[in-house]
Amino acid sequence: MTSKARARASQPSTPINFDVPAHACDCHTHIHGDPEKFPFFAGRVYTPEPASPEEMAALHKALRIERVVIVTPSVYGTDNSSTLFGMKARGATARGVAVIDDKTTEAQLDTLGENGFRGIRINLATGGISDPNVGRARFMAAVERMKARGWHVQLYTTLPMISAIKDLVLAAPVPAVFDHFGGLDASLGLEQPGFSDLLELVKSGKAYVKISGAYRSSELAPGYQDIVPFARALIAANADRIVWGTDWPHPDSGHVEGRKATDIAPFYQIDDSRLLNQLPMWAPDAETRKKILVDNPARLYGF
């Protein structure tokens, strides 16, 4: 497939309809640099299209968002260089979340910290890991390495796994941050198993939740109306522990019949300004929106 034939990463098409506060932050994005310079991990389960710092800058200009958190996606394994490339393009308004393993040295973590990384990510979802014992062991190992630094541990996982590690999160000396509404399924309603555990962790102050990637939890495009009660419930539980993100450039990491891991997976085409315009429905109070967009990210990521 030629680069011209690919659908580029989406850009907003709907005007923003509320006052976005100064220093607002998009807390979940990815950069996919030139594959010649930033090669993908051989063990990846999908291959994304390129997504450049320039495209991200255009996105955030349209959204009126100043700050960004760039997260290393699973396709790079433990190579955080494409994320760092994106962060350097944004300067002081960027922070990063890294992926590490047992081979990552303390000196390497020091360097990541000096360059603006403030947490590490455990991705249990893209690889389909559902064994609670694996999740518990990986979370405990991550906390052990992060506690001296005060970095957070970010998890991309599902509600059953969140229930399985709840006791560890409550006892952890560093915050846990759950991606994309904690991996809930909006079609199953507020009573679905595990959502009450997620609410309890948010209430406790030990966990943050990213109200991001609504299309991963809901199939009711483009408005994802069935996500509204979940967003409101999480914000009501503890507005000081909620952050917002786009999940741009919206990679399709799911299994598609007949698609090999090395085949290009086209991006989802998502109108991020339409998603941002939903925030006043989720949080009608401007002061609450400022917490979600500005104050909570500043605390969590050290802006």
Side-chain angles (χ1 to χ4, degrees):
M1 183 185 285
T2 67
S3 59
K4 288 181 180 176
R6 295 177 188 161
R8 296 173 67 82
S10 58
Q11 288 290 336
S13 56
T14 304
I16 297 299
N17 63 12
F18 71 103
D19 289 331
V20 178
H23 312 308
C25 185
D26 178 351
C27 292
H28 198 102
T29 66
H30 309 290
I31 289 290
H32 309 143
D34 179 349
E36 296 290 318
K37 296 179 183 174
F38 304 102
F40 297 121
F41 160 59
R44 67 192 182 280
V45 300
Y46 73 104
T47 299
E49 300 174 281
S52 71
E54 293 77 14
E55 290 175 289
M56 185 186 283
L59 164 86
H60 289 136
K61 184 177 181 182
L63 296 180
R64 305 177 199 162
I65 283 179
E66 175 193 344
R67 295 170 174 168
V68 65
V69 177
I70 305 175
V71 179
T72 297
S74 65
V75 293
Y76 291 115
T78 59
D79 181 354
N80 297 289
S81 56
S82 185
T83 297
L84 182 58
F85 165 65
M87 293 164 65
K88 285 185 171 175
R90 287 291 276 265
T93 61
R95 296 289 184 270
V97 177
V99 176
I100 69 168
D101 63 13
D102 295 343
K103 300 184 189 70
T104 307
T105 67
E106 293 302 308
Q108 287 171 321
L109 288 173
D110 290 342
T111 300
L112 290 171
E114 289 161 9
N115 282 288
F117 285 81
R118 295 293 179 264
I120 61 169
R121 187 191 202 198
I122 301 172
N123 185 335
L124 302 175
T126 302
I129 296 169
S130 57
D131 182 346
N133 293 319
V134 173
R136 287 176 68 85
R138 289 187 62 184
F139 181 72
M140 284 191 292
V143 168
E144 189 61 30
R145 295 203 70 180
M146 292 302 106
K147 65 183 183 183
R149 297 175 183 276
W151 291 12
H152 64 272
V153 176
Q154 177 179 323
L155 297 105
Y156 183 23
T157 189
T158 58
L159 291 179
M161 186 68 79
I162 291 172
S163 294
I165 66 169
K166 183 174 85 165
D167 60 315
L168 301 179
V169 175
L170 288 169
V174 297
V177 181
F178 294 110
D179 287 350
H180 310 323
F181 289 91
L184 62 84
D185 179 344
S187 69
L188 298 179
L190 291 168
E191 301 305 313
Q192 66 189 281
F195 187 62
S196 61
D197 289 325
L198 182 61
L199 288 177
E200 186 179 330
L201 288 171
V202 171
K203 281 179 186 169
S204 75
K206 301 293 290 189
Y208 288 76
V209 175
K210 295 186 181 186
I211 49 174
S212 58
Y215 59 92
R216 297 191 179 280
S217 296
S218 167
E219 295 183 0
L220 300 185
Y224 310 107
Q225 286 301 307
D226 54 349
I227 210 75
V228 175
F230 295 97
R232 288 178 174 168
L234 287 163
I235 293 164
N238 188 350
D240 293 325
R241 291 296 180 270
I242 307 299
V243 295
W244 182 89
T246 56
D247 192 31
W248 187 92
H250 312 296
D252 179 4
S253 58
H255 173 72
V256 175
E257 197 66 40
R259 187 172 79 191
K260 301 192 293 288
T262 51
D263 291 340
I264 296 290
F267 291 130
Y268 292 119
Q269 294 297 304
I270 303 290
D271 183 355
D272 287 305
S273 50
R274 183 165 184 154
L275 286 182
L276 182 55
N277 283 344
Q278 295 195 1
L279 188 58
M281 284 195 289
W282 301 348
D285 175 58
E287 192 56 38
T288 302
R289 293 196 297 273
K290 182 175 175 289
K291 286 183 178 184
I292 293 168
L293 290 171
V294 183
D295 302 340
N296 300 343
R299 180 193 320 114
L300 183 59
Y301 300 103
F303 283 108

